[in-house]
Amino acid sequence: MALRRTITGFSNPLVKFLRSLRDKKHRRREGKFLAEGLRLLTDARASSVLPEMLVMATGREPHPLLDALEAAVAAAGGEIVEMDVDILAKVTGKDNPQAVAGVFAEFDTRIASLDRHAAPIWLVAQALRDPGNLGTMLRTGDAVGAGGLILIDDCADPFSVEAVRASMGAIFTQKLACARWDEFIGWLRASEGQLVAASLRDPTDYRIAAYAAPCFLMVGNESQGLPASYEEACDLRVTIPMRGRADSLNAAVAGAVLAYEALARLEG
Amino acid sequence: MALRRTITGFSNPLVKFLRSLRDKKHRRREGKFLAEGLRLLTDARASSVLPEMLVMATGREPHPLLDALEAAVAAAGGEIVEMDVDILAKVTGKDNPQAVAGVFAEFDTRIASLDRHAAPIWLVAQALRDPGNLGTMLRTGDAVGAGGLILIDDCADPFSVEAVRASMGAIFTQKLACARWDEFIGWLRASEGQLVAASLRDPTDYRIAAYAAPCFLMVGNESQGLPASYEEACDLRVTIPMRGRADSLNAAVAGAVLAYEALARLEG
């Protein structure tokens, strides 16, 4: 039987808890994250991931997808919380009576939990700082049939509201792992896997490089790129042509251009 | 001889003017926009575009690139403005004594001013709402040697601080045009040019499509995609494979994947 609650006061501790999930420190402590919007929550459900808690406005209009979501959360023993629309606006930051939010348990992000043979392509990002770029890489990973995204060193938090939103639901379909470089390279070299860097150092044109599955495509920090020593540890350094004045692409764009080339070549 | 001013009060009208340029309505009225940061302003200079006004902190550390920029602006008859670091922070939103901002005249964005034969590839975005995506498309355009970005219908403002920043200087190298659809299609069909839509309707795989220069690669709105009637008016509808659960890519990513494929094929 699902737990149901109606919140009528701004000072309710649950409101404070929900707002605190916008902050990384609190997410880590609670092991929970927020996803907002009916589309995202429906995407989660389609991937068989349900929120532990579903938060909605008391005065909302009925909506078949929202009803289905509510029924699924209730059936799974999750918690259904309704609150006045002005309180919900404090939680979501949006003045929208149709707003809806879900609280999810953070996923296992240990690299040891990845099955590298589950997919031909994996995306790897090092010190990626922008949560929008991170979410976009998850979305691209889903699109190319990648297994997931491996985050090396200090990256933006994949469970931030911005990253979850930019992933357009791919946070629920792609595996996520977080590791320091030494841990990652140790794991990678313990079995088969080709590590490919997007690089400007002694590189091969990305269109003629010989990709091999499982293929780990790595991009670096938005302003620094990859450390030289990381690139040297790669099996392949590939470059994307730059015909203009600038010397780099947006990190998520570079990852996507590489991933689609690798996909075509591995399938071809 | 350059005009030099030192601003010591928050209430100086110039401070208000500079702050107002964060707002689209004021940018349009003034015909000016802001670009911030030494890297961006140096990129502009490398593209022979200088700000009409250069704004810096009085107490800044000397920096060779900043000195060169200041000299170039002064030599071109531009205005050099220095202000207390706390006032500059109000203008840039950053508490950084090395902050620097430039005021530029907005560029001509009439579609009639484009020379379609100046480049083999042009990017086209319809109703693109996210300034970060818009700037990223400019950056990608620079990278593939595109001529510029054509914005159809109601898009984010390319002269917003966010779009200018995401362009990483490509706002100064790529041509920009803004047009309603009817105006664009009239201009396009008045001469040669292949219009290619990223589409899910009756499409050709983007890897086997026959691209032809000048090739106009069009992506649609982040949530709606392109209107069906626009797609029908295209010479080619191409699709990028989606191997996962989602049915679309980030708009800037889709544009980049298409643009790199078209580049390779047109050059191959």
Side-chain angles (χ1 to χ4, degrees), chain A residues 5 14 17-18 50-55 73 78-81 101-104:
Chain A
R5 280 202 269 179
L14 183 60
F17 165 75
L18 291 168
L50 289 170
E52 298 181 345
M53 180 187 294
L54 182 65
V55 184
V73 173
E79 195 169 354
I80 310 288
V81 177
V103 177
F104 292 84

Side-chain angles (χ1 to χ4, degrees), chain A residues 132-144:
Chain A
N133 280 342
L134 197 160
T136 300
M137 288 193 73
L138 284 167
R139 184 178 181 183
T140 299
D142 175 87
V144 298

Side-chain angles (χ1 to χ4, degrees), chain A residues 29-100:
Chain A
R29 188 158 62 206
E30 302 288 345
K32 316 277 186 205
F33 70 100
L34 267 184
E36 297 177 346
L38 182 55
R39 171 151 185 189
L40 202 49
L41 293 174
T42 298
D43 285 346
R45 182 166 68 93
S47 303
S48 305
V49 184
L50 289 170
E52 298 181 345
M53 180 187 294
L54 182 65
V55 184
M56 303 176 289
T58 38
R60 67 189 182 278
E61 300 280 321
H63 187 294
L65 284 175
L66 188 50
D67 295 346
L69 184 63
E70 183 180 349
V73 173
E79 195 169 354
I80 310 288
V81 177
E82 295 184 313
M83 52 180 68
D84 294 350
V85 66
D86 52 343
I87 303 178
L88 184 63
K90 287 282 174 192
V91 170
T92 64
K94 290 194 189 68
D95 188 16
N96 174 4
Q98 295 308 105
V100 51

Side-chain angles (χ1 to χ4, degrees), chain A residues 39 43 46-47 136 139-140 142-145 168-170 173 206-207 222 240-253 256-257 260-261 263-265 267, chain B residues 39 43 46-47 136 139-140 142-145 168-170 173 206-207 222 240-253 256-257 260-261 263-265 267:
Chain A
R39 171 151 185 189
D43 285 346
S47 303
T136 300
R139 184 178 181 183
T140 299
D142 175 87
V144 298
M168 293 289 282
T173 62
Y206 83 115
R207 300 274 295 192
E222 286 91 343
I240 299 170
M242 303 295 296
R243 295 276 181 266
R245 196 201 43 71
D247 61 3
S248 71
L249 290 164
N250 167 281
V253 163
V257 170
Y260 267 100
E261 186 63 28
L263 174 68
R265 305 285 296 292
E267 289 189 344
Chain B
R39 172 152 183 186
D43 284 345
S47 303
T136 299
R139 184 178 183 184
T140 299
D142 175 88
V144 297
M168 293 289 283
T173 62
Y206 84 115
R207 300 276 295 192
E222 285 92 343
I240 300 170
M242 303 294 297
R243 295 275 180 266
R245 197 202 43 73
D247 61 1
S248 71
L249 291 164
N250 166 281
V253 163
V257 171
Y260 267 100
E261 186 63 28
L263 174 68
R265 306 285 297 289
E267 289 188 342

Side-chain angles (χ1 to χ4, degrees), chain A residues 12-28:
Chain A
N12 189 293
L14 183 60
V15 175
K16 190 178 170 197
F17 165 75
L18 291 168
R19 285 173 58 91
S20 79
L21 293 181
R22 300 194 165 270
D23 183 76
K24 181 177 174 177
K25 189 180 62 186
H26 287 99
R27 283 195 295 274
R28 224 37 27 94

Side-chain angles (χ1 to χ4, degrees), chain A residues 234-246:
Chain A
C234 289
D235 301 299
L236 208 54
R237 287 164 290 280
V238 300
T239 191
I240 299 170
M242 303 295 296
R243 295 276 181 266
R245 196 201 43 71

